[in-house]
Amino acid sequence: MAATPVWSVDPRTGKQREQVALEATTGEVDQVVRAAHAARASLADRRVRAALLRTAADLLDEAGPHVIEAADAETALGPGRLTGELARTTAQFRAFADVIDEGSFLDIRIDHPDAGAVPPRPDLRRYKLPLGVVAVYAASNFPLAFSVPGGDTASALAAGCPVVVKAHPDHPATSELCAAVLHRAAEQAGADPAVVSVVHGFDAGVALVKHPLVAAAGFTGSVRGGRALFDAAAARPVPIPFHGELGSLNPVVVTEAAAAERAEEIGAGLAGSVTLGTGQFCVKPGFVLAPTGPGGDALVKSLTAAVSDCEAGVLLDHRMRDAFLAGVRERAALTGVDVPVTPGAGGEHTVSAGFLTLPAALLAADGEHDLLLEECFGPVTVVARYGSTDEITAVLSRLPGNLTATLQVSAAEAAGEGGAAALLDELTPLAGRVLVNGWPTGVAVAPAQHHGGPYPATTSTSTSVGGTAIERWLRPVAYQSTPDALLPPELREANPLGLPRRINGLPE
């Protein structure tokens, strides 16, 4: 059977640009994974890993104009957005190089023997090792920061794990270009270029998660696709960790006092967050609880004006455009739903932004409107108008897990007055990141960041952004009563590498 070609497509026109590659066969996936597995030793030295990441960042910066041009041609995200995304991508590489240098990620713990302890304690020394080959499934909406050179790749390499990326079909040319850059970085740093590889095709993605030498997987995409891979990872003869980001509604609660105090500001900020990147951010606020009454009315008026001023935009591909239009139609047809600004087809290849409203009581009363509690990918949000805090509680109790949850409060509530603290307590179980008086779009790359949340936001409790993302690709091992000369250098008594450690429970 002839191999299936992989085409780069212009989402602005729907036309094929160029043939980039061929979809990988199961045999080719096997060869790539085995090469990656064999390349593990070249990542054993932490100095090599740090050099690889910093070199990759430098080379990506140098190739920036070509990378941005290729990504824009395939995604229509625009040079401005992509320039920022490239900066974020290289920052992630450099941040993980710093994590490697600092060394805390190894979580070194040494307990000296204590015959008087109950029970008696032998000499125990624990640290973390890389899992092995990591499969990364690239995201559609971030062709750089969550794709071939994305955070999953950077954190896995930092941990010492080779990576095989299943490229997203929306930006195959960008994927190949970035893979070539990473290969050069590996060579310059003294690592085997096979520590980063790319495969294309749906069947290749399935074969990848099932390969016996793949030790873990990271995924960013839809609930349907992610759940299928998650189930496949769990059904293997030897199950593997699957860290998937699947979908998020990212609820917002606006208090009555906040709406009364700054309705216009909140409406404009909400519009900007919903329409950013044509509504294609994973943390887009897709559901809002706003009060009835004058304050809520003013918020809706401000949102209407701001959304109406937005120009039509291009989604990442025409399949997503069709799904957006169908999803909006289905939601707008529900009983009790109004459409102050109709989201829909802005043109043959574009979509226009909008939003839906309904009484919150309808969501709290029955399951007829459950569709409104599911993510609709694109520039649309749902505003549910509540008349009491009891209605807020009733609706929040029905929400699925999310990446983010946001609370908009007044100045007095921010100072501790009123029931804002209680609302924050209700929102916290729903999400991995909780915001007050901000908007969730924009995920800072920082040590304290957490980008994850209860299912279906993610399939694990880990983060895919920030320094602790490296923990996904490591496993602990303890050595008991092992002679010093036989121990790994990281665990020897003299600490020859100068790493941060805890001795008998205390920092060294």
Side-chain angles (χ1 to χ4, degrees):
M1 184 171 64
T4 303
V6 176
W7 289 90
S8 173
V9 177
D10 183 349
R12 294 181 174 96
T13 64
K15 295 181 179 179
Q16 294 178 337
R17 296 177 58 247
E18 60 176 326
Q19 182 179 331
V20 173
L22 297 173
E23 293 188 359
T25 64
T26 300
E28 289 166 340
V29 170
D30 178 63
Q31 292 174 6
V32 168
V33 173
R34 292 187 182 281
H37 183 73
R40 290 174 301 154
S42 70
L43 294 176
D45 190 327
R46 291 187 301 117
R47 294 168 298 182
V48 170
R49 304 200 307 260
L52 191 166
L53 294 176
R54 292 192 174 101
T55 302
D58 291 343
L59 293 180
L60 284 167
D61 282 339
E62 291 176 11
H66 301 294
V67 171
I68 291 167
E69 181 182 14
D72 180 50
E74 292 187 304
T75 66
L77 289 172
R81 148 72 195 273
L82 291 166
T83 297
E85 186 178 335
L86 179 60
R88 173 198 180 88
T89 301
T90 57
Q92 287 183 147
F93 273 85
R94 295 185 176 102
F96 279 112
D98 293 341
V99 168
I100 295 171
D101 289 342
E102 194 272 336
S104 292
F105 75 98
L106 293 168
D107 194 22
I108 300 172
R109 298 170 184 264
I110 295 175
D111 291 329
H112 291 134
D114 183 354
V118 180
R121 186 176 71 207
D123 186 271
L124 290 167
R125 296 164 187 256
R126 178 187 188 271
Y127 79 146
K128 292 183 177 179
L129 294 171
L131 285 173
V133 178
V134 170
V136 171
Y137 293 82
S140 62
N141 55 341
F142 282 86
L144 305 175
F146 283 84
S147 294
V148 172
D152 284 353
T153 296
S155 58
L157 291 173
C161 297
V163 173
V164 179
V165 183
K166 189 275 179 185
H168 197 279
D170 279 353
H171 35 79
T174 307
S175 298
E176 288 291 333
L177 176 57
C178 290
V181 172
L182 296 184
H183 288 163
R184 292 201 303 274
E187 289 176 337
Q188 291 183 24
D192 188 329
V195 296
V196 180
S197 300
V198 172
V199 296
H200 299 266
F202 175 85
D203 290 342
V206 174
L208 187 58
V209 79
K210 293 181 177 181
H211 197 287
L213 293 181
V214 168
F219 171 90
T220 304
S222 69
V223 173
R224 181 180 178 184
R227 184 56 194 252
L229 291 171
F230 176 56
D231 290 345
R236 291 168 37 132
V238 179
I240 59 172
F242 183 90
H243 302 284
E245 180 188 324
L246 310 188
S248 184
L249 196 61
N250 305 302
V252 178
V253 175
V254 182
T255 68
E256 187 173 2
E261 185 174 273
R262 50 191 182 88
E264 184 174 348
E265 175 191 331
I266 294 173
L270 175 60
S273 191
V274 168
T275 60
L276 185 65
T278 323
Q280 297 175 108
F281 279 63
C282 53
V283 289
K284 178 203 76 175
F287 181 79
V288 183
L289 279 162
T292 56
D297 291 344
L299 188 159
V300 171
K301 181 179 178 181
S302 172
L303 178 62
T304 299
V307 170
S308 298
D309 284 342
C310 292
E311 296 183 359
V314 178
L315 295 185
L316 292 160
D317 61 39
H318 282 63
R319 176 182 55 82
M320 291 182 187
R321 180 178 181 274
D322 292 342
F324 171 73
L325 297 177
V328 166
R329 284 195 301 269
E330 190 175 0
R331 287 164 172 80
L334 293 172
T335 304
V337 172
D338 292 323
V339 190
V341 181
T342 303
E348 185 180 357
H349 304 290
T350 60
V351 297
S352 60
F355 68 100
L356 316 174
T357 65
L358 81 162
L362 293 178
L363 289 165
D366 56 54
E368 179 186 347
H369 296 81
D370 282 0
L371 183 62
L372 298 173
L373 303 181
E374 298 178 12
E375 179 184 15
C376 185
F377 192 74
V380 64
T381 193
V382 174
V383 179
R385 305 290 298 275
Y386 66 85
S388 68
T389 55
D390 287 343
E391 286 185 7
I392 296 176
T393 297
V395 173
L396 292 182
S397 71
R398 304 192 64 236
L399 293 186
N402 296 272
L403 294 170
T404 71
T406 300
L407 180 62
Q408 296 287 340
V409 300
S410 67
E413 289 171 323
E417 298 179 18
L423 282 174
L424 201 63
D425 286 343
E426 289 189 59
L427 285 172
T428 297
L430 296 176
R433 179 163 57 105
V434 182
L435 300 86
V436 176
N437 288 354
W439 298 106
T441 40
V443 184
V445 179
Q449 184 60 271
H450 187 83
H451 189 62
Y455 186 87
T458 52
T459 59
S460 71
T461 59
S462 302
T463 179
S464 61
V465 179
T468 54
I470 195 174
E471 295 173 359
R472 297 173 295 168
W473 321 121
L474 298 164
R475 71 172 182 89
V477 61
Y479 291 85
Q480 180 173 326
S481 304
T482 303
D484 198 71
L486 301 182
L487 286 168
E490 292 86 351
L491 298 180
R492 291 176 186 170
E493 190 67 22
N495 196 6
L497 303 180
L499 293 165
R501 312 190 300 183
R502 297 186 71 88
I503 308 293
N504 298 327
L506 301 173
E508 187 174 23

